[in-house]
Amino acid sequence: LLDGEITLAKFANLGSDGQVMTSTGSSSPPAFEAAAAGGLVVQVVTTQTGAVASNTGTIPHDDTIPTSSEGAQFMTLAITPTSASNRLIITLHAMLSSSAAQNERILCLFQDSGSAAIAVMSSRQTSQNSASTDMTVQFSMISGTTSATTFKMRAGSGAGTTTLNGTGGGREFGGKYVSSMTIMEITV
């Protein structure tokens, strides 16, 4: 490599399958070693939509945990973890608006038939039918199972119509707003 030319032949004897380049200290060259356990992505599942959807289900902005009977369900995504001890990182990304002024838009994550949200995000809307707000919830947990588990995106506001991927129940940007759910399984 010192001649300034990079070729595949020069890399052929550097490390082997499953190894990574690591630092061996400031005064020595890097080495190839076995990858550390944990932190490897096992699988990723995702769903996304640009379709507009709206509902008048409300979620109060108070000190109670949102329930599965509040708001409306906009998306679901299932995963079958490969190990009960692996970590799941669940990300909800939603473009939400509310038809009511001075109102909170609330985005919630639920799992399976659980009636209480496991994660929540809210955003205040100052004017009626204001533009959609980009909202994200990211939640991390140990899977605890190797059976299929389903996560659900629910959203609502204190009053009025909550719209996903639009405003006032109508579409914006020709359906190119994108809301999504992604679940990553990571080794521990």
Side-chain angles (χ1 to χ4, degrees):
L1 289 175
L2 297 177
D3 63 8
E5 291 191 29
I6 298 172
T7 64
L8 287 177
K10 292 178 182 176
F11 283 100
N13 296 322
L14 298 177
S16 62
D17 189 31
Q19 290 186 320
V20 295
M21 186 182 291
T22 61
S23 172
T24 57
S26 62
S27 61
S28 60
F32 282 88
E33 299 174 338
L40 302 175
V41 176
V42 176
Q43 64 174 315
V44 177
V45 293
T46 191
T47 186
Q48 67 182 29
T49 183
V52 67
S54 61
N55 196 283
T56 57
T58 61
I59 301 175
H61 185 255
D62 58 19
D63 192 28
T64 61
I65 297 170
T67 67
S68 59
S69 64
E70 297 172 325
Q73 182 171 295
F74 287 103
M75 299 176 86
T76 65
L77 184 61
I79 189 169
T80 303
T82 61
S83 169
S85 60
N86 281 349
R87 180 164 299 283
L88 298 178
I89 300 173
I90 305 101
T91 304
L92 307 180
H93 174 230
M95 299 301 294
L96 290 173
S97 69
S98 173
S99 64
Q102 301 298 322
N103 204 7
E104 296 285 335
R105 290 163 282 202
I106 301 170
L107 179 63
C108 307
L109 174 65
F110 290 82
Q111 183 181 10
D112 295 326
S113 61
S115 62
I118 58 175
V120 179
M121 174 65 66
S122 72
S123 174
R124 175 155 294 284
Q125 178 169 300
T126 57
S127 64
Q128 188 172 0
N129 283 333
S130 69
S132 293
T133 296
D134 181 5
M135 296 181 67
T136 300
V137 170
Q138 188 168 61
F139 184 74
S140 174
M141 62 183 275
I142 298 301
S143 70
T145 186
T146 56
S147 297
T149 184
T150 300
F151 293 91
K152 302 168 184 177
M153 173 195 291
R154 295 187 70 86
S157 51
T161 300
T162 301
T163 302
L164 179 76
N165 296 330
T167 301
R171 184 174 90 168
E172 291 182 324
F173 299 109
K176 297 303 179 185
Y177 263 151
V178 177
S179 294
S180 64
M181 292 180 70
T182 301
I183 307 170
M184 289 193 306
E185 181 182 0
I186 310 290
T187 60
V188 177

